[in-house]
Amino acid sequence: MLLRELLAPLLVSHTTGDDQVVITGITADSRNVKPGDLFICLSGFTVDGHEFAAQAVEKGAIAIIAEREIEVDKTVVIVPDSRRAMAFLADRFYGSPSQKLKLIGVTGTNGKTTTTHLIDKILTDQQKKTGLIGTIHMRIGDQIEKVKNTTPDIIDLQSSFRRMLEIHTDYAIMEVSSHALDMGRVHGCDYLTAIFTNMTQDHLDYHKTFENYRQAKSLLFAQLGNSYDQQSMKTAILNADDEVSKYFAHVTPARVLTYGIDQQADVRAVSIRITSAGTSFTVQSFAGEATVNMKLMGKFNVYNALAAITATLVEGVPLAAIIQSLEDIPGVDGRFEPVSLGQDYAVIVDYSHTPDSLENALITAKEFVTGRLICVAGCGGNRDRTKRPIMAQIATKYADYSVLTSDNPRFEEPEAILADMVGGLQDVDQERFITIVNRREAILHAISQAKPGDCVLIAGKGHETYQESKGEIFPFDDREIAKEAIHEQKRNEQL
């Protein structure tokens, strides 16, 4: 595409140099520049892309987008806001792909990953071709790709949508993080349906206040547009049991549908029963009433299922077919995932890394455990410090014995993180918890304490296969360490 054509949406810009050059790619990362690329200079939190413009030119960039004059021997386009310009440029370069897909976005503190996977399963079972973007991975067709962020940057996102279109994908289902919304990573994404799961304390290291966090999330619903296309009606799907939903309903002009358990809703679950084999409930909806028997455990998974039911009912999937798909799903990677090697106690790995998600996981475990509940929990470094004592309090409130440990300490000292956690436990009997800095040793210790009928919940990392410390990434998988510990205990029992 010619640079002049690409720049058409940017009415306020100043070009120095040839605007007839052919652009063959777009990037904001100088390390990824290829000959013929347009390089966009972004001012970030720690680095300034303007400082890498010369490096980008050396690697073959044919033109530069910048917010100030820079000394390079290539075409330079000055814009007031390069990050905002990037959204227009990415959308135009890749042919506005999200307008040709049915795009479903899911936002909320907890439940995004499970909800997107449930929707994906239901639609795939209806012979719809789907793409999936989220915390665990990105899937385009049969190709699985790693992701750096829950929601990719706008260039990668639009590129991914284009690739989905090229293989005739019907639906793109994606997690939409508050960071992505606040930073404009989803500008230009034409969502058909936006889903809200819940909102509890998280990311306050970035947003500073709960009100700012709520405002960031609300952007997904406010950006659904202000027109009513009868062929592709925009829909906001909101959790009726979360007070924040009232605010989101207020800011969106889209059609609103609700789901819930405790409050009246358009799609509601009643008669919920949770066992070690799964969860059953009756769903009452605008499309009828039916019984659901899922392998997924916990009230929080009922909410996730209700969100998925509502979203796929909107897409015309029959309720009976939706339920069949939900009942077929064994689970989602790292979400309340059992680790079973024939031992006579339960071991569960879960991604719960917020106070609310940890509480939900522990409450669910208590529904079926017949012995003691043992919890391994930690808090990440360089993240919201205020939730650390709360996480420890929740662990010790519900678990009979808690092992507090590291969880991606990043550039903080693990001992300092644990000190913050223990700071909330002044009134807790010290025999009910222990601190073990090394996460592997913590998991081994927790499982060594398990007796028949007990349950060990290993919280925080879920699907993650690494531990991050001092700028280095180390291989680490809670599930593999748990298996090692179970084998070790079996060997000890045989001695």
Side-chain angles (χ1 to χ4, degrees):
M1 179 181 288
L2 293 179
L3 178 60
R4 173 181 287 182
E5 296 172 356
L6 187 59
L7 296 175
L10 306 182
L11 297 182
V12 180
S13 64
H14 176 70
T15 302
T16 301
D18 184 4
D19 65 358
Q20 297 292 318
V21 294
V22 177
I23 303 300
T24 57
I26 304 178
T27 184
D29 188 337
S30 61
R31 296 167 296 184
N32 297 333
V33 170
K34 296 180 178 62
D37 278 357
L38 171 67
F39 177 68
I40 302 175
C41 302
L42 298 180
S43 298
F45 293 109
T46 56
V47 296
D48 185 347
H50 294 79
E51 298 175 1
F52 296 90
Q55 178 183 325
V57 168
E58 288 176 6
K59 296 186 71 173
I62 201 166
I64 306 292
I65 298 288
E67 295 176 358
R68 62 177 186 264
E69 297 290 342
I70 50 175
E71 295 296 327
V72 293
D73 187 26
K74 293 293 178 182
T75 302
V76 177
V77 182
I78 306 296
V79 297
D81 183 337
S82 57
R83 191 174 296 277
R84 183 171 292 274
M86 179 171 66
F88 286 94
L89 297 170
D91 176 75
R92 187 168 177 83
F93 182 79
Y94 290 107
S96 302
S98 68
Q99 295 179 19
K100 303 174 183 71
L101 289 165
K102 291 184 177 180
L103 182 58
I104 298 174
V106 182
T107 197
T109 307
N110 304 308
K112 296 187 296 295
T113 298
T114 299
T115 300
T116 54
H117 279 73
L118 296 182
I119 294 170
D120 179 72
K121 165 67 172 170
I122 295 165
L123 293 175
T124 300
D125 286 351
Q126 293 299 301
Q127 311 308 311
K128 302 297 184 183
K129 195 160 191 175
T130 63
L132 190 65
I133 301 172
T135 306
I136 297 178
H137 58 237
M138 180 189 299
R139 196 197 73 244
I140 300 176
D142 296 327
Q143 185 174 341
I144 302 294
E145 301 176 11
K146 292 183 178 180
V147 291
K148 181 180 177 181
N149 299 307
T150 295
T151 308
D153 71 63
I154 190 63
I155 296 174
D156 288 342
L157 196 54
Q158 295 291 359
S159 171
S160 299
F161 291 154
R162 169 49 55 184
R163 290 163 57 204
M164 290 180 188
L165 274 182
E166 288 171 353
I167 59 171
H168 308 294
T169 300
D170 301 302
Y171 289 88
I173 307 138
M174 63 177 292
E175 299 179 45
V176 187
S177 70
S178 59
H179 290 74
L181 287 161
D182 187 65
M183 298 172 69
R185 283 192 223 143
V186 294
H187 282 173
C189 296
D190 190 14
Y191 289 97
L192 177 66
T193 300
I195 301 169
F196 169 59
T197 58
N198 51 67
M199 185 168 293
T200 58
Q201 181 175 338
D202 199 17
H203 303 308
L204 296 190
D205 54 307
Y206 177 84
H207 296 292
K208 306 305 179 186
T209 68
F210 188 82
E211 288 71 24
N212 290 344
Y213 184 31
R214 183 188 70 171
Q215 174 63 24
K217 291 288 189 188
S218 75
L219 294 173
L220 180 62
F221 304 95
Q223 293 170 4
L224 280 175
N226 201 42
S227 63
Y228 300 126
D229 184 342
Q230 300 304 314
Q231 301 303 313
S232 57
M233 182 72 73
K234 302 293 182 74
T235 306
I237 296 175
L238 307 176
N239 181 348
D241 294 343
D242 194 307
E243 281 293 314
V244 174
S245 289
K246 294 178 182 178
Y247 179 71
F248 293 165
H250 176 71
V251 302
T252 186
R255 172 176 59 187
V256 173
L257 291 175
T258 59
Y259 67 92
I261 297 171
D262 301 324
Q263 303 297 320
Q264 287 294 330
D266 299 310
V267 178
R268 189 180 186 188
V270 297
S271 304
I272 299 170
R273 184 169 178 266
I274 300 168
T275 70
S276 59
T279 306
S280 65
F281 61 92
T282 297
V283 59
Q284 300 172 337
S285 78
F286 55 87
E289 180 174 317
T291 299
V292 182
N293 295 291
M294 304 189 303
K295 299 179 182 70
L296 302 176
M297 289 187 285
K299 185 177 180 180
F300 60 94
N301 271 322
V302 176
Y303 280 109
N304 297 333
L306 290 173
I309 290 169
T310 310
T312 49
L313 283 175
V314 169
E315 294 309 308
V317 183
L319 182 59
I322 294 171
I323 292 172
Q324 182 175 344
S325 294
L326 290 176
E327 293 182 342
D328 284 344
I329 297 173
V332 177
D333 196 18
R335 271 59 179 175
F336 216 77
E337 180 179 348
V339 179
S340 181
L341 298 176
Q343 74 273 14
D344 52 10
Y345 52 88
V347 176
I348 294 170
V349 171
D350 190 68
Y351 188 54
S352 45
H353 59 285
T354 66
D356 183 64
S357 60
L358 179 60
E359 184 172 38
N360 287 334
L362 288 165
I363 289 173
T364 297
K366 287 184 77 70
E367 292 273 358
F368 63 82
V369 65
T370 57
R372 292 194 310 158
L373 177 56
I374 300 169
C375 177
V376 178
C379 292
N382 303 108
R383 296 293 187 268
D384 183 7
R385 290 185 61 184
T386 63
K387 72 180 183 182
R388 293 173 184 174
I390 302 172
M391 293 280 285
Q393 289 165 0
I394 289 171
T396 54
K397 175 182 178 181
Y398 292 100
D400 298 290
Y401 182 60
S402 298
V403 184
L404 307 181
T405 187
S406 301
D407 181 356
N408 291 334
R410 299 183 177 87
F411 291 96
E412 284 194 71
E413 294 299 330
E415 293 83 357
I417 298 173
L418 285 171
D420 286 342
M421 295 182 72
V422 173
L425 303 180
Q426 293 92 339
D427 299 326
V428 178
D429 186 344
Q430 292 191 5
E431 292 186 359
R432 293 192 52 226
F433 70 91
I434 187 173
T435 60
I436 301 177
V437 172
N438 184 290
R439 188 174 181 89
R440 178 178 178 277
E441 295 301 323
I443 294 171
L444 293 175
H445 172 74
I447 291 178
S448 74
Q449 302 300 302
K451 302 291 190 295
D454 288 353
C455 175
V456 180
L457 174 70
I458 305 171
K461 299 185 72 63
H463 66 283
E464 292 180 351
T465 56
Y466 63 87
Q467 182 84 314
E468 185 177 350
S469 179
K470 304 297 184 187
E472 295 188 56
I473 304 294
F474 304 94
F476 195 98
D477 189 325
D478 282 354
R479 295 160 295 191
E480 295 304 316
I481 304 301
K483 291 175 183 177
E484 177 187 335
I486 294 167
H487 283 306
E488 180 65 24
Q489 191 183 60
K490 285 185 175 182
R491 284 193 293 267
N492 292 337
E493 289 173 352
Q494 293 170 359
L495 295 178

mmCIF file of all heavy atoms in Angstrom, residues 110-128:
data_model
loop_
_atom_site.group_PDB
_atom_site.id
_atom_site.type_symbol
_atom_site.label_atom_id
_atom_site.label_comp_id
_atom_site.label_asym_id
_atom_site.label_seq_id
_atom_site.Cartn_x
_atom_site.Cartn_y
_atom_site.Cartn_z
ATOM 1 N N ASN A 110 -11.940 -11.723 36.724
ATOM 2 C CA ASN A 110 -11.772 -13.171 36.694
ATOM 3 C C ASN A 110 -12.763 -13.795 35.707
ATOM 4 O O ASN A 110 -13.815 -13.235 35.432
ATOM 5 C CB ASN A 110 -12.010 -13.764 38.084
ATOM 6 C CG ASN A 110 -11.113 -13.146 39.138
ATOM 7 O OD1 ASN A 110 -9.895 -13.091 38.978
ATOM 8 N ND2 ASN A 110 -11.704 -12.653 40.217
ATOM 9 N N GLY A 111 -12.397 -14.952 35.190
ATOM 10 C CA GLY A 111 -13.318 -15.714 34.352
ATOM 11 C C GLY A 111 -13.210 -15.482 32.859
ATOM 12 O O GLY A 111 -13.901 -16.143 32.075
ATOM 13 N N LYS A 112 -12.338 -14.572 32.436
ATOM 14 C CA LYS A 112 -12.244 -14.261 30.998
ATOM 15 C C LYS A 112 -11.816 -15.481 30.183
ATOM 16 O O LYS A 112 -12.401 -15.785 29.146
ATOM 17 C CB LYS A 112 -11.248 -13.114 30.758
ATOM 18 C CG LYS A 112 -11.649 -11.794 31.378
ATOM 19 C CD LYS A 112 -10.712 -10.664 30.976
ATOM 20 C CE LYS A 112 -9.285 -10.842 31.477
ATOM 21 N NZ LYS A 112 -9.182 -10.805 32.954
ATOM 22 N N THR A 113 -10.767 -16.153 30.644
ATOM 23 C CA THR A 113 -10.219 -17.272 29.877
ATOM 24 C C THR A 113 -11.236 -18.400 29.753
ATOM 25 O O THR A 113 -11.489 -18.910 28.648
ATOM 26 C CB THR A 113 -8.934 -17.795 30.528
ATOM 27 O OG1 THR A 113 -7.950 -16.758 30.542
ATOM 28 C CG2 THR A 113 -8.381 -18.991 29.761
ATOM 29 N N THR A 114 -11.827 -18.798 30.874
ATOM 30 C CA THR A 114 -12.795 -19.895 30.825
ATOM 31 C C THR A 114 -13.985 -19.527 29.956
ATOM 32 O O THR A 114 -14.438 -20.327 29.128
ATOM 33 C CB THR A 114 -13.261 -20.263 32.245
ATOM 34 O OG1 THR A 114 -12.134 -20.699 33.009
ATOM 35 C CG2 THR A 114 -14.294 -21.381 32.207
ATOM 36 N N THR A 115 -14.497 -18.312 30.107
ATOM 37 C CA THR A 115 -15.663 -17.898 29.315
ATOM 38 C C THR A 115 -15.360 -17.928 27.822
ATOM 39 O O THR A 115 -16.169 -18.426 27.024
ATOM 40 C CB THR A 115 -16.127 -16.497 29.734
ATOM 41 O OG1 THR A 115 -16.484 -16.512 31.131
ATOM 42 C CG2 THR A 115 -17.335 -16.056 28.931
ATOM 43 N N THR A 116 -14.205 -17.423 27.406
ATOM 44 C CA THR A 116 -13.867 -17.438 25.977
ATOM 45 C C THR A 116 -13.734 -18.869 25.455
ATOM 46 O O THR A 116 -14.169 -19.173 24.339
ATOM 47 C CB THR A 116 -12.564 -16.672 25.683
ATOM 48 O OG1 THR A 116 -11.500 -17.183 26.502
ATOM 49 C CG2 THR A 116 -12.736 -15.191 25.959
ATOM 50 N N HIS A 117 -13.161 -19.747 26.274
ATOM 51 C CA HIS A 117 -13.008 -21.137 25.836
ATOM 52 C C HIS A 117 -14.356 -21.846 25.739
ATOM 53 O O HIS A 117 -14.564 -22.684 24.843
ATOM 54 C CB HIS A 117 -12.066 -21.893 26.781
ATOM 55 C CG HIS A 117 -10.614 -21.649 26.496
ATOM 56 N ND1 HIS A 117 -9.986 -20.468 26.791
ATOM 57 C CD2 HIS A 117 -9.664 -22.433 25.921
ATOM 58 C CE1 HIS A 117 -8.709 -20.533 26.434
ATOM 59 N NE2 HIS A 117 -8.500 -21.706 25.891
ATOM 60 N N LEU A 118 -15.283 -21.528 26.636
ATOM 61 C CA LEU A 118 -16.613 -22.135 26.570
ATOM 62 C C LEU A 118 -17.348 -21.676 25.313
ATOM 63 O O LEU A 118 -17.972 -22.479 24.604
ATOM 64 C CB LEU A 118 -17.426 -21.777 27.817
ATOM 65 C CG LEU A 118 -16.909 -22.294 29.161
ATOM 66 C CD1 LEU A 118 -17.856 -21.896 30.288
ATOM 67 C CD2 LEU A 118 -16.727 -23.807 29.146
ATOM 68 N N ILE A 119 -17.290 -20.375 25.029
ATOM 69 C CA ILE A 119 -17.931 -19.846 23.823
ATOM 70 C C ILE A 119 -17.321 -20.490 22.583
ATOM 71 O O ILE A 119 -18.033 -20.902 21.651
ATOM 72 C CB ILE A 119 -17.787 -18.316 23.760
ATOM 73 C CG1 ILE A 119 -18.575 -17.666 24.910
ATOM 74 C CG2 ILE A 119 -18.273 -17.773 22.417
ATOM 75 C CD1 ILE A 119 -18.305 -16.175 25.072
ATOM 76 N N ASP A 120 -16.002 -20.597 22.576
ATOM 77 C CA ASP A 120 -15.298 -21.205 21.447
ATOM 78 C C ASP A 120 -15.758 -22.644 21.222
ATOM 79 O O ASP A 120 -16.024 -23.048 20.083
ATOM 80 C CB ASP A 120 -13.793 -21.163 21.705
ATOM 81 C CG ASP A 120 -12.997 -21.806 20.596
ATOM 82 O OD1 ASP A 120 -12.910 -21.208 19.511
ATOM 83 O OD2 ASP A 120 -12.475 -22.925 20.800
ATOM 84 N N LYS A 121 -15.881 -23.394 22.289
ATOM 85 C CA LYS A 121 -16.310 -24.794 22.186
ATOM 86 C C LYS A 121 -17.725 -24.896 21.612
ATOM 87 O O LYS A 121 -17.997 -25.709 20.711
ATOM 88 C CB LYS A 121 -16.244 -25.436 23.574
ATOM 89 C CG LYS A 121 -16.978 -26.760 23.732
ATOM 90 C CD LYS A 121 -16.356 -27.889 22.943
ATOM 91 C CE LYS A 121 -17.043 -29.218 23.309
ATOM 92 N NZ LYS A 121 -16.632 -30.316 22.404
ATOM 93 N N ILE A 122 -18.624 -24.068 22.132
ATOM 94 C CA ILE A 122 -20.021 -24.114 21.679
ATOM 95 C C ILE A 122 -20.119 -23.782 20.192
ATOM 96 O O ILE A 122 -20.794 -24.482 19.422
ATOM 97 C CB ILE A 122 -20.883 -23.145 22.512
ATOM 98 C CG1 ILE A 122 -20.938 -23.606 23.976
ATOM 99 C CG2 ILE A 122 -22.300 -23.051 21.938
ATOM 100 C CD1 ILE A 122 -21.459 -22.546 24.936
ATOM 101 N N LEU A 123 -19.455 -22.717 19.774
ATOM 102 C CA LEU A 123 -19.526 -22.306 18.368
ATOM 103 C C LEU A 123 -18.832 -23.305 17.449
ATOM 104 O O LEU A 123 -19.312 -23.587 16.344
ATOM 105 C CB LEU A 123 -18.917 -20.917 18.199
ATOM 106 C CG LEU A 123 -19.693 -19.771 18.867
ATOM 107 C CD1 LEU A 123 -18.921 -18.461 18.745
ATOM 108 C CD2 LEU A 123 -21.083 -19.627 18.255
ATOM 109 N N THR A 124 -17.714 -23.859 17.893
ATOM 110 C CA THR A 124 -17.013 -24.868 17.094
ATOM 111 C C THR A 124 -17.882 -26.105 16.902
ATOM 112 O O THR A 124 -17.920 -26.684 15.807
ATOM 113 C CB THR A 124 -15.688 -25.259 17.769
ATOM 114 O OG1 THR A 124 -14.848 -24.103 17.885
ATOM 115 C CG2 THR A 124 -14.944 -26.314 16.960
ATOM 116 N N ASP A 125 -18.591 -26.491 17.941
ATOM 117 C CA ASP A 125 -19.497 -27.641 17.835
ATOM 118 C C ASP A 125 -20.640 -27.378 16.859
ATOM 119 O O ASP A 125 -21.275 -28.324 16.366
ATOM 120 C CB ASP A 125 -20.071 -27.998 19.200
ATOM 121 C CG ASP A 125 -19.044 -28.685 20.095
ATOM 122 O OD1 ASP A 125 -17.956 -29.037 19.600
ATOM 123 O OD2 ASP A 125 -19.316 -28.860 21.308
ATOM 124 N N GLN A 126 -20.913 -26.099 16.576
ATOM 125 C CA GLN A 126 -21.937 -25.731 15.589
ATOM 126 C C GLN A 126 -21.333 -25.562 14.188
ATOM 127 O O GLN A 126 -21.951 -24.953 13.312
ATOM 128 C CB GLN A 126 -22.627 -24.437 16.027
ATOM 129 C CG GLN A 126 -23.454 -24.570 17.296
ATOM 130 C CD GLN A 126 -24.581 -25.569 17.132
ATOM 131 O OE1 GLN A 126 -25.432 -25.409 16.271
ATOM 132 N NE2 GLN A 126 -24.582 -26.611 17.961
ATOM 133 N N GLN A 127 -20.108 -26.088 14.021
ATOM 134 C CA GLN A 127 -19.416 -26.049 12.729
ATOM 135 C C GLN A 127 -19.040 -24.634 12.305
ATOM 136 O O GLN A 127 -18.872 -24.358 11.111
ATOM 137 C CB GLN A 127 -20.264 -26.713 11.627
ATOM 138 C CG GLN A 127 -20.813 -28.078 11.975
ATOM 139 C CD GLN A 127 -19.743 -29.036 12.473
ATOM 140 O OE1 GLN A 127 -18.700 -29.163 11.846
ATOM 141 N NE2 GLN A 127 -19.995 -29.718 13.596
ATOM 142 N N LYS A 128 -18.900 -23.751 13.287
ATOM 143 C CA LYS A 128 -18.405 -22.413 13.004
ATOM 144 C C LYS A 128 -16.886 -22.422 13.130
ATOM 145 O O LYS A 128 -16.330 -23.079 14.010
ATOM 146 C CB LYS A 128 -18.993 -21.389 13.975
ATOM 147 C CG LYS A 128 -20.515 -21.328 13.969
ATOM 148 C CD LYS A 128 -21.070 -20.888 12.623
ATOM 149 C CE LYS A 128 -22.585 -20.740 12.666
ATOM 150 N NZ LYS A 128 -23.145 -20.371 11.346
#
